[in-house]
Amino acid sequence: MGEYTDQGAAGAEQLAGSGMERRLTLRLVKYWENLRAERAMPTLTEIKPKELSEIWQDCFILKIKAEGESRLNYSYIGANIEKMKVMLLRDDPPC
């Protein structure tokens, strides 16, 4: 499992695609960094979906479990991601 490294906006620019995808990724990273300030991450209660309305349906939030626990626990899965999950479970690719 990879270790978290804080690359901030510079890291986001490397991961983001071009055009609108890049703009939305950078917007999300800026929002995240403003909330977290000097901490590793913001609290769940600080995240306001209305402030991310344009991209909230494409977001997810993972709950970090204690070391040794292997299952992922999602605090939130956006509607668009949920649709993809259902299609993948039915073996019905989105193409």
Side-chain angles (χ1 to χ4, degrees):
M1 183 174 195
E3 188 173 313
Y4 171 78
T5 57
D6 181 11
Q7 296 180 358
E13 287 188 44
Q14 291 175 341
L15 294 173
S18 60
M20 182 175 278
E21 180 182 318
R22 183 174 188 272
R23 180 182 61 83
L24 294 175
T25 301
L26 293 175
R27 178 176 169 216
L28 180 59
V29 169
K30 182 178 179 182
Y31 178 80
W32 182 266
E33 288 187 348
N34 284 337
L35 285 182
R36 76 176 183 94
E38 300 298 319
R39 303 169 292 167
M41 63 190 67
T43 64
L44 188 57
T45 58
E46 291 176 302
I47 299 169
K48 306 296 180 208
K50 287 184 180 182
E51 294 175 3
L52 297 167
S53 60
E54 187 177 4
I55 56 176
W56 187 240
Q57 67 277 2
D58 296 305
C59 294
F60 64 91
I61 299 174
L62 285 174
K63 183 176 182 182
I64 298 173
K65 293 193 153 204
E67 191 172 326
E69 295 181 26
S70 60
R71 282 189 59 191
L72 294 177
N73 188 359
Y74 291 88
S75 296
Y76 169 78
I77 299 177
N80 290 343
I81 296 172
E82 189 66 38
K83 287 176 194 173
M84 293 287 290
K85 184 178 95 174
V86 168
M87 286 189 290
L88 290 171
L89 289 173
R90 287 189 304 194
D91 198 26
D92 183 18
C95 303

